């Protein structure tokens, strides 16, 4: 999930699909990736969609030692130009971070970069931003010490953080929820308590989707009321269109197979 507001989505970092992608982790909703060619095709369409919507995209080279390296969202948390480098929640993914950190340090000159230290751990995929309000999933990848370090940064920036418990059968908060705009959160029935989101700011809404469309709840909101959604989730699509969004659909099957969703594949900065 992007940790930037919709109006801050001007630049995105992505990472090319490695030759080892079929070894990527798939322990939640993924069935295991089978086609690197299809994953590359999806990835290039993803980049095309971002670029054709005015986002400047940089593609970092892949790293064959890290089959999950396309899921850059987990490796750096960019908030208002500041960067928190988390300790990834899965040990096999910890070596993905250095080139991402180096790229962001060079691109966000003058801003602070904070490094989290073990035993704190967090995946960027556990963070959801709704305007200037933040939510973090306490999950198998994000622990209380990690949440405390995120809170310290958000306190300095004047933003509130609310913690949401993620059931152990779900990967991240953003595997099951997203904010297609700065005043709307999509969330499926049956995964998390809606009360956990607390009172939302005036004009903001939780839009509850059928449980079977949980994967479709991960979306990328862009400027001009556009939103990228995964193909195959008709209720998500129609409910967003009813609310005036223009949806852009992408077949995510080969990314989903590695427990990846739309937001996992980019960092807006
Ligand atoms: N395959 C994505 C992850 O488990 O982190």
């Amino acid at each position: 999930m992007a940790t930037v507001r919709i109006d801050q989505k001007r630049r995105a970092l992505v990472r090319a699909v490695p030759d080892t992608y079929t070894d990527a982790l798939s322990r939640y909703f993924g069935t295991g990736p089978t086609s690197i060619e299809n994953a590359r095709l999806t990835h290039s369409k993803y980049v095309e969609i971002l670029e054709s919507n005015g986002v400047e995209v940089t593609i970092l080279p892949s790293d064959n030692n890290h089959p999950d390296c396309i899921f850059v969202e987990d490796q750096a948390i960019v908030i208002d130009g500041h960067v928190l480098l988390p300790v990834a929640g899965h040990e096999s993914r910890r070596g993905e971070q250095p080139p991402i950190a180096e790229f962001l340090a060079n691109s966000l000159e003058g801003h602070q970069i904070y490094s989290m230290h073990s035993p704190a751990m967090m995946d960027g995929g556990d963070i959801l931003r709704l305007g200037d309000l933040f939510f973090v999933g306490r999950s198998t990848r994000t622990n209380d010490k990690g949440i405390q370090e995120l809170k310290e940064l958000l306190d300095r920036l004047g933003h509130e953080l609310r913690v949401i418990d993620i059931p152990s059968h779900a990967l991240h908060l953003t595997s099951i929820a997203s904010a297609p705009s700065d005043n709307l959160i999509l969330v499926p029935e049956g995964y998390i308590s809606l009360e956990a989101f607390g009172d939302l700011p005036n004009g903001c809404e939780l839009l509850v989707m059928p449980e079977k469309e949980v994967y479709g709840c991960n979306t990328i909101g862009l400027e001009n009321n556009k939103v990228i959604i995964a193909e195959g989730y008709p209720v998500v699509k129609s409910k967003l269109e009813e609310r005036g969004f223009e949806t852009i659909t992408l077949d995510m099957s080969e990314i989903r197979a590695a427990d990846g969703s739309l937001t996992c594949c980019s960092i807006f900065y």
Side-chain angles (χ1 to χ4, degrees):
M1 186 60 216
T3 49
V4 299
R5 290 190 314 267
I6 299 289
D7 66 316
Q8 296 172 321
K9 289 185 177 173
R10 298 280 153 72
R11 298 185 292 176
L13 179 65
V14 306
R15 194 161 189 186
V17 178
D19 297 339
T20 52
Y21 179 65
T22 47
D23 295 328
L25 298 168
S26 55
R27 300 185 179 175
Y28 293 85
F29 47 88
T31 48
T34 52
S35 167
I36 294 169
E37 194 188 334
N38 286 347
R40 288 193 170 130
L41 199 63
T42 303
H43 200 259
S44 55
K45 285 188 187 153
Y46 181 92
V47 170
E48 253 172 59
I49 292 172
L50 291 177
E51 288 180 336
S52 63
N53 283 285
V55 180
E56 180 191 320
V57 180
T58 300
I59 307 176
L60 279 187
S62 61
D63 176 352
N64 287 336
N65 292 317
H66 290 99
D68 286 280
C69 69
I70 63 166
F71 302 125
V72 289
E73 174 189 49
D74 293 321
Q75 299 292 335
I77 297 157
V78 180
I79 300 172
D80 301 347
H82 301 273
V83 182
L84 176 61
L85 296 172
V87 176
H90 196 284
E91 216 171 335
S92 72
R93 301 200 51 199
R94 293 194 181 149
E96 294 172 27
Q97 196 176 63
I100 295 171
E102 190 187 340
F103 174 84
L104 291 172
N106 291 334
S107 308
L108 292 168
E109 254 176 73
H111 287 92
Q112 296 282 344
I113 302 213
Y114 307 91
S115 290
M116 198 175 268
H117 296 287
S118 184
M121 64 176 200
M122 173 169 284
D123 278 359
D126 269 316
I127 301 171
L128 172 58
R129 180 174 188 162
L130 180 74
D132 284 328
L133 175 60
F134 285 76
F135 300 90
V136 63
R138 181 163 34 215
S139 70
T140 56
R141 300 286 179 89
T142 294
N143 65 12
D144 282 324
K145 288 197 159 58
I147 291 172
Q148 185 53 35
E149 294 199 25
L150 174 67
K151 184 171 171 356
E152 282 161 20
L153 172 60
L154 288 171
D155 283 348
R156 281 197 289 275
L157 299 176
H159 297 313
E160 184 187 343
L161 179 65
R162 298 181 186 173
V163 180
I164 298 191
D165 284 314
I166 306 301
S168 58
H169 63 285
L171 174 52
H172 294 131
L173 173 58
T174 62
S175 309
I176 56 179
S178 69
S181 74
D182 289 334
N183 52 20
L184 183 68
I185 295 178
L186 285 184
V187 60
E189 278 174 328
Y191 274 79
I192 40 185
S193 140
L194 299 184
E195 283 73 46
F197 286 94
D199 289 333
L200 297 184
N202 274 346
C204 293
E205 184 192 1
L206 279 181
L207 183 57
V208 181
M209 294 290 112
E211 191 169 348
K212 65 179 189 207
E213 296 213 8
V214 54
Y215 184 79
C217 289
N218 181 285
T219 65
I220 300 180
L222 296 170
E223 285 193 296
N224 303 315
N225 263 357
K226 292 192 180 171
V227 58
I228 312 174
I229 61 171
E231 189 175 277
Y233 301 92
V235 180
V236 169
K237 182 172 162 67
S238 67
K239 292 288 175 195
L240 288 173
E241 289 174 355
E242 269 170 28
R243 278 169 170 72
F245 289 97
E246 182 183 330
T247 57
I248 305 162
T249 304
L250 183 61
D251 173 4
M252 288 292 287
S253 43
E254 201 58 42
I255 306 296
R256 179 186 164 133
D259 286 344
S261 305
L262 285 161
T263 60
C264 306
C265 300
S266 51
I267 299 172
F268 288 92
Y269 64 98

